[in-house]
Amino acid sequence: MRIHACLALAVLATACGREPPTQEEIDDAKTRVDLAIHAAHQARIALELLGLLPVYTCDEPRRTFVGRAAEGVQVKTACVTATAEARSESSDAVVFSFPDTPCSVNGHTVSGHTDFIYQGGEERMDLTADLNGLTVDGQVLQATVGYGTCGDETRFWTAAAGAIPGRPGHTYRVDGRLGVREGAPVFGGTSLVFDGPGQVSGPLGTDRVTFTALEYEVGEFLPKKGQAFIETARGHRVRVDFSEVLWRVGKVEVEIDDKAPVTVPIVR
C-alpha cells in the first residue's frame, strides 16, 4: 500500500483538545509525504544493493577478501556475474554484471553493471560503488554507496539524487547513513535501518526532509518503524511516525504543525 492512498482516509484519532487539520492541509501533506517516502525508497534500494557483499573483515588481506566475496555473491544470487579484479597496489574491485533478462535481487529486478571498489589495507578499508550503471525495477538508479571500516570508526552511507520515478517534475536528494541497532542487521540480513537529511523539489517548491531510524524489511516499500520530518516550502512542519502493531500490520501518525495528528492503519 502506498502512503499516498493511506492518507486519503479520514482522521481516525485525534489528540484531545487540539484543533484538527483541514482537508486542504491533509491533502497537501499527503502529497509531500508521498514524495518524501519515494525519495527514501530510492536511497534504501541503494543500501540494499550494498548488502550483496559481506563487510570487510579487518586484518584479512584485501585481495583474499575480494576474491572470496565475489565467489560468495554468485553462490547467493545465481543471475549475477561477480568477478574479482586487481586494480592497483592499493585497490581491488568486485565487478557486477546483471543480465538484461529479469534478475531478482532482494525483491527488485536489476540489470546493468557496476564496480564495487575496495581501497586500503588491513587496518583501514574503504568501499565505494557508483550505481548509476544499474536499472532497478525499470528505473535508472542514481546513487553511490560505500563504507569505511576498521580504524577509529565504521560508517556506511549512500548519496542518492535524481528524478523521482513515477512523479514527473519532481527531484530528490538523500544523504543516508546506516544505523547499527541490536537485533536489526546493518545490511545483508532481513532488515535495514537508516537515517539522514534530504530534500524534495518540484512544482510545490523545495521541502527539507529528515529521516530518523527508518527501519525496513528488505524489499518492502513502507518502513515499519521510524520517522520522517518535513519542513515544507510553505513553512509548515509535517511529522510522520511509523510504528508496528502486528506482523505486516502497522500504523502511521501524521502531525501537521501543532494540530491534532491523523492516525492511519497500514498493511505492508
Side-chain angles (χ1 to χ4, degrees):
M1 179 180 288
R2 296 295 188 256
I3 195 72
H4 196 282
C6 291
L7 290 184
L9 299 179
V11 177
L12 299 183
T14 60
C16 181
R18 296 170 65 181
E19 178 187 357
T22 66
Q23 188 59 50
E24 181 181 0
E25 290 171 328
I26 292 175
D27 290 343
D28 183 69
K30 174 180 64 177
T31 299
R32 295 176 190 275
V33 173
D34 172 70
L35 293 168
I37 295 304
H38 274 79
H41 180 63
Q42 296 301 302
R44 194 279 312 273
I45 289 173
L47 290 169
E48 286 186 7
L49 293 178
L50 178 61
L52 285 173
L53 288 165
V55 179
Y56 172 72
T57 303
C58 301
D59 298 324
E60 182 177 3
R62 183 187 66 245
R63 200 148 289 173
T64 301
F65 171 82
V66 168
R68 182 169 57 83
E71 292 175 0
V73 169
Q74 295 202 133
V75 170
K76 184 169 63 174
T77 310
C79 60
V80 177
T81 299
T83 306
E85 290 187 359
R87 294 291 175 88
S88 69
E89 289 297 318
S90 61
S91 67
D92 295 286
V94 176
V95 179
F96 281 82
S97 294
F98 298 86
D100 293 332
T101 54
C103 177
S104 179
V105 179
N106 290 337
H108 303 288
T109 301
V110 184
S111 62
H113 66 276
T114 190
D115 299 349
F116 284 70
I117 301 173
Y118 292 85
Q119 294 181 304
E122 298 176 20
E123 296 182 355
R124 173 70 187 183
M125 184 66 68
D126 291 287
L127 167 67
T128 58
D130 183 343
L131 304 182
N132 285 276
L134 297 181
T135 298
V136 180
D137 299 330
Q139 302 289 335
V140 175
L141 183 61
Q142 298 170 299
T144 56
V145 294
Y147 65 72
T149 189
C150 306
D152 295 333
E153 66 170 354
T154 299
R155 81 186 157 84
F156 305 84
W157 57 269
T158 182
I164 298 179
R167 300 293 182 270
H170 293 90
T171 60
Y172 75 97
R173 188 191 75 243
V174 175
D175 297 313
R177 54 188 178 272
L178 279 170
V180 179
R181 174 173 295 180
E182 185 177 355
V186 173
F187 52 63
T190 59
S191 61
L192 177 151
V193 183
F194 86 92
D195 308 88
Q199 69 177 40
V200 174
S201 299
L204 295 177
T206 297
D207 293 347
R208 292 189 299 172
V209 187
T210 303
F211 301 109
T212 302
L214 286 187
E215 181 176 343
Y216 290 87
E217 290 298 311
V218 170
E220 294 288 343
F221 177 78
L222 290 174
K224 65 179 183 179
K225 296 179 183 177
Q227 183 182 97
F229 182 74
I230 306 169
E231 298 172 272
T232 78
R234 294 181 178 178
H236 296 289
R237 302 179 308 279
V238 180
R239 180 179 56 82
V240 187
D241 287 302
F242 294 89
S243 60
E244 286 187 295
V245 177
L246 297 169
W247 179 73
R248 295 192 65 82
V249 177
K251 67 177 182 178
V252 57
E253 183 177 271
V254 180
E255 183 178 306
I256 304 167
D257 295 327
D258 295 323
K259 296 188 176 181
V262 178
T263 302
V264 180
I266 56 174
V267 179
R268 283 181 293 273

